[in-house]
């Protein structure tokens, strides 16, 4: 029975799990993106998001609480400096988990987890126009008419050449 099973134990003892999640949280804060198994990424998301929320309030108490989880001064500086500045106006959802497929060795589901505001590719990527297969002839006719509109520009260039 699974009564009271609130989180994934990840097949580890409590001390091992806490140390692993702390190390993964430090790596995520420092590198902004890490690749791991899907189960660990989901567990890390629950672990690190409250820490990021607490980092918005830069007080001595909140720093001490977060340091109790991370135990790394450099990660604390990065979290309260760069990360807190970027996520200051975001109400939650600081991380994104993207599935990558299966690992060849054991078939485990692999995913990467990243901080949302630090992904340059997703922020700059323009949304492509929706392509449909319906009405393709109308677009082809519009493209055929396009060179006709350029003809006045060629005539203007020819007139400038005559003037010289």
């Amino acid at each position: 029975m699974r009564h009271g099973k609130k989180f994934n134990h990840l097949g580890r003892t409590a001390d091992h799990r806490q140390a692993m999640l702390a190390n993964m949280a430090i790596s995520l804060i420092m590198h902004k993106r890490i690749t791991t198994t899907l189960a660990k990424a989901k567990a890390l998301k629950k672990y690190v998001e409250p820490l990021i929320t607490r980092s918005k309030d830069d007080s001595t108490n909140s720093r001490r609480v977060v340091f109790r989880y991370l135990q790394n001064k450099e990660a604390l500086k990065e979290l309260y400096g760069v990360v807190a500045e970027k996520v200051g106006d975001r109400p939650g959802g600081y991380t994104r988990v993207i599935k990558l497929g299966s690992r060849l060795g054991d078939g485990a589901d692999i995913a990467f987890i990243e901080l949302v505001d630090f992904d340059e590719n997703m922020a700059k990527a323009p949304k492509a126009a929706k392509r449909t297969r319906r009405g393709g002839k109308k677009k082809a006719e519009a493209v055929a008419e396009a060179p006709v509109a350029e003809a006045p520009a060629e005539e203007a260039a020819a007139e400038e050449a005559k003037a010289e």
Side-chain angles (χ1 to χ4, degrees):
M1 288 184 284
R2 59 161 307 282
H3 295 307
K5 183 179 178 194
K6 299 258 184 200
F7 61 92
N8 192 346
H9 294 277
L10 301 173
R12 288 162 170 81
T13 62
D15 291 337
H16 186 183
R17 187 172 52 252
Q18 288 300 318
M20 182 190 66
L21 288 173
N23 288 335
M24 289 173 65
I26 291 166
S27 296
L28 179 64
I29 290 166
M30 298 304 286
H31 300 291
K32 312 302 186 265
R33 173 189 286 182
I34 58 172
T35 304
T36 183
T37 63
L38 183 61
K40 287 181 189 173
K42 287 179 178 179
L44 179 62
K45 184 174 184 141
K46 283 187 162 188
Y47 185 85
V48 78
E49 290 217 0
L51 301 180
I52 296 173
T53 300
R54 192 168 283 274
S55 73
K56 290 181 182 181
D57 172 35
D58 190 5
S59 66
T60 305
N61 184 54
S62 69
R63 279 181 178 264
R64 285 178 179 166
V65 169
V66 173
F67 185 74
R68 199 174 128 239
Y69 285 93
L70 296 182
Q71 295 289 314
N72 188 308
K73 289 182 182 179
E74 289 79 25
L76 205 69
K77 278 187 211 172
E78 185 79 13
L79 178 63
Y80 275 88
V82 179
V83 176
E85 181 181 319
K86 276 237 181 174
V87 301
D89 56 341
R90 183 177 284 276
Y94 311 110
T95 57
R96 174 188 301 131
V97 177
I98 298 179
K99 298 176 187 175
L100 297 176
S102 298
R103 188 161 52 200
L104 289 178
D106 59 356
D109 291 331
I110 297 295
F112 67 74
I113 181 169
E114 64 183 357
L115 295 175
V116 173
D117 293 323
F118 291 91
D119 187 11
E120 298 84 21
N121 297 333
M122 295 290 253
K124 292 181 184 176
K127 291 192 175 184
K130 184 178 177 185
R131 296 184 66 197
T132 61
R133 296 180 63 167
R134 300 171 64 185
K137 291 181 182 177
K138 293 178 186 175
K139 291 182 181 178
E141 292 171 1
V143 171
E145 295 174 2
V148 176
E150 296 175 10
E154 292 174 4
E155 292 174 358
E159 290 176 3
E160 289 177 5
K162 289 179 185 178
E164 292 177 331

